[in-house]
Amino acid sequence: MRYDALIVGGGLAGLSAAVQLGRYNHRVLVVDSEDGRSSFCLRYHNLIGWTDGVSGPELRKAGRIQAEKAGVRFVKDKAVRALALDGEGFAVHGESGETYEGRRLLLATGVMDRLPPLEGLRPCLGISVYVCPDCDGYELTGRRAIVMGSGDAGASMARILAYWTEDLVYINHERKEVSAELRDKLGEKGIRIVDEPIAELDAEGDQLRGVRLAGGEWIEGGRAFVAFGGNEVRSQLAEQLGVKLHANRHIEADPRTKMTNVKHVWAAGDVLAHSEQASIAMGDGSQAAIWMHKSLVGREGSELLQPLRDAVEHVAGKG
């Protein structure tokens, strides 16, 4: 079956697009590996309407229910290959061996953070351990905090977080080089740099209390950020289709329509080059879906404005 719209990625961007396209009564399939960022972030704090935050799994569940009510279908599979079909449309091959086809394609494949393999880390993500300063820097206000990172990536994060708290320790877990400039800047802010691996987290459930270093030292900290650099930008399918990528491998797309340089291939969410916010991902998905719909019903380009022009001229004529 060739769907009207094929969405790869069932995170916040993909779900928003699915809901919108489903409400246009299009035949929509979402191919989702269920291992994206929103699968393990246990609290988004900066989305309006949830004063105490909302979890990624909770949003995903609600979004899927909403999309399914609009007729959208879902399949759990990891998309590994994409190609254009003769005539119109695209085919996506899954790790399962299945092939999925769609007249239009949305890539909402996201980004995966590089996290250290420390026991007890994942239950804390979004609750007491964070990855995005724009989302959760506020949570450090008035608190002692730890930055767990690697080299300049972690040092840069510590420098940013000093906006919210002066009581910071940067643990350079991988002992990668930190530039002299960054060391000086952290020193000016009174941020201690510890070039030693973390042996274990001291956490009770989702609440971090501190970390134990390989040398035995215990460092107190009820909040922490992770900044190791080298996050995986999941743009492999886009590259296979000839979609233009930035130097950092994020997908380039039209800021208004979210369509890429490859006709009828759209992108939304963290895989695009922007600030990687949940709210922006949702908006991207809805925006891409609107333009996907317009292309499916043959209303692309400047002719979209003609009904508005006609209405304006009609009103002006009456005046």
Side-chain angles (χ1 to χ4, degrees):
M1 177 178 180
R2 187 170 297 185
Y3 291 85
D4 295 324
L6 181 59
I7 299 172
V8 182
L12 305 187
L15 286 169
S16 293
V19 169
Q20 186 70 34
L21 286 164
R23 290 173 59 83
Y24 283 128
N25 294 322
H26 290 303
R27 295 172 301 169
V28 183
L29 177 68
V30 179
V31 180
D32 184 26
S33 60
E34 300 182 6
D35 68 344
R37 269 179 168 173
S38 58
S39 296
F40 63 79
C41 180
L42 300 179
R43 192 77 77 245
Y44 291 103
H45 295 276
N46 61 341
L47 295 176
I48 61 170
W50 285 280
T51 55
D52 296 320
V54 60
S55 77
E58 183 179 350
L59 284 174
R60 288 172 62 92
K61 181 179 179 180
R64 177 162 178 165
I65 290 171
Q66 189 173 355
E68 287 177 332
K69 284 184 177 179
V72 175
R73 289 190 59 200
F74 287 78
V75 62
K76 183 178 179 180
D77 201 352
K78 182 178 181 180
V80 294
R81 187 172 171 233
L83 67 156
L85 298 171
D86 292 336
E88 180 188 51
F90 304 88
V92 169
H93 299 284
E95 196 172 59
S96 67
E98 293 291 328
T99 298
Y100 313 99
E101 296 184 1
R103 295 171 58 200
R104 303 293 183 267
L105 177 63
L106 173 63
L107 299 175
T109 43
V111 170
M112 180 52 64
D113 300 275
R114 187 165 76 89
L115 300 173
L118 294 171
E119 186 177 350
L121 177 65
R122 290 215 172 209
C124 295
L125 289 172
I127 308 293
S128 57
V129 178
Y130 316 102
V131 298
C132 171
D134 297 309
C135 306
D136 294 311
Y138 173 83
E139 303 302 318
L140 305 191
T141 304
R143 295 176 178 270
R144 177 175 174 80
I146 295 168
V147 176
M148 299 180 279
S150 178
D152 283 353
S156 295
M157 177 66 80
R159 183 183 177 191
I160 292 169
L161 294 173
Y163 175 83
W164 286 278
T165 180
E166 297 177 351
D167 196 358
L168 275 171
V169 177
Y170 169 39
I171 302 175
N172 186 13
H173 176 70
E174 295 181 333
R175 292 184 286 191
K176 295 286 180 67
E177 182 179 355
V178 176
S179 70
E181 180 184 2
L182 277 172
R183 282 188 178 273
D184 288 344
K185 290 187 180 299
L186 295 192
E188 290 170 5
K189 295 179 180 295
I191 299 172
R192 178 189 173 195
I193 301 176
V194 180
D195 295 302
E196 189 175 341
I198 298 166
E200 60 181 356
L201 299 185
D202 181 359
E204 184 174 350
D206 57 18
Q207 295 298 318
L208 182 72
R209 292 185 296 203
V211 300
R212 180 79 59 187
L213 301 180
E217 181 184 357
W218 184 76
I219 295 180
E220 178 188 0
R223 294 291 184 269
F225 267 77
V226 178
F228 281 77
N231 291 347
E232 178 196 3
V233 182
R234 293 176 166 174
S235 55
Q236 297 90 335
L237 298 179
E239 189 173 31
Q240 292 168 15
L241 291 166
V243 170
K244 191 173 182 181
L245 306 180
H246 290 277
N248 62 5
R249 296 195 58 78
H250 284 271
I251 294 175
E252 289 192 25
D254 183 274
R256 182 185 183 198
T257 67
K258 306 305 175 186
M259 191 165 80
T260 70
N261 62 297
V262 176
K263 188 174 182 179
H264 295 158
V265 176
W266 280 262
D270 290 350
V271 76
L272 286 176
H274 58 48
S275 58
E276 299 185 22
Q277 291 277 308
S279 55
I280 293 175
M282 292 178 185
D284 281 351
S286 294
Q287 193 171 356
I290 290 169
W291 286 90
M292 292 170 77
H293 165 69
K294 289 175 179 179
S295 79
L296 285 164
V297 298
R299 295 175 58 229
E300 296 175 285
S302 60
E303 66 271 19
L304 290 169
L305 298 176
Q306 194 57 48
L308 178 60
R309 294 193 188 103
D310 292 343
V312 171
E313 290 174 4
H314 178 69
V315 172
K318 284 187 173 183

